[in-house]
């Protein structure tokens, strides 16, 4: 209906951020809101903030690059 055309998902709100996917063995880390390093990801964009997905495509939240620790830390989780 009319209301459906006005509603957007959280994922759509952050569509401007690049998407990053974890390797399957590290899914549990992002499900629990842990930090992840580049070797745990399928691709590592050179962006400060990213949309984080598990290996099955589930959107888990927004992560932010920490240049000191050289990993991504959760900024906001949506599980």
């Amino acid at each position: 209906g009319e209301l459906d055309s006005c509603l957007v998902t959280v994922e759509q709100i952050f569509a401007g951020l690049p998407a990053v996917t974890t390797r399957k063995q590290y899914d549990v880390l992002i499900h629990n809101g842990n930090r992840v390093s580049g070797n745990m990801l399928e691709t590592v964009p050179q962006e400060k903030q990213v949309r984080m997905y598990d290996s099955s495509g589930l959107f888990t939240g927004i992560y932010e690059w920490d240049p000191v620790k050289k990993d991504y830390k959760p900024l906001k989780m949506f599980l």
Side-chain angles (χ1 to χ4, degrees), residues 37-74:
S37 60
N39 67 332
M40 299 175 183
L41 305 172
E42 293 294 336
T43 59
V44 183
Q46 301 301 312
E47 302 289 332
K48 184 175 172 89
Q49 293 182 350
V50 296
R51 288 177 291 141
M52 190 65 70
Y53 292 84
D54 70 11
S55 64
S56 70
L58 176 68
F59 174 60
T60 60
I62 304 301
Y63 273 62
E64 185 172 67
W65 179 253
D66 183 337
V68 175
K69 294 189 176 183
K70 300 202 182 312
D71 66 3
Y72 281 98
K73 62 182 179 180

Side-chain angles (χ1 to χ4, degrees), residues 15-28:
L17 296 177
V20 175
T21 303
T22 57
R23 297 180 191 277
K24 186 170 180 57
Q25 65 266 36
Y26 302 111
D27 285 350
V28 69

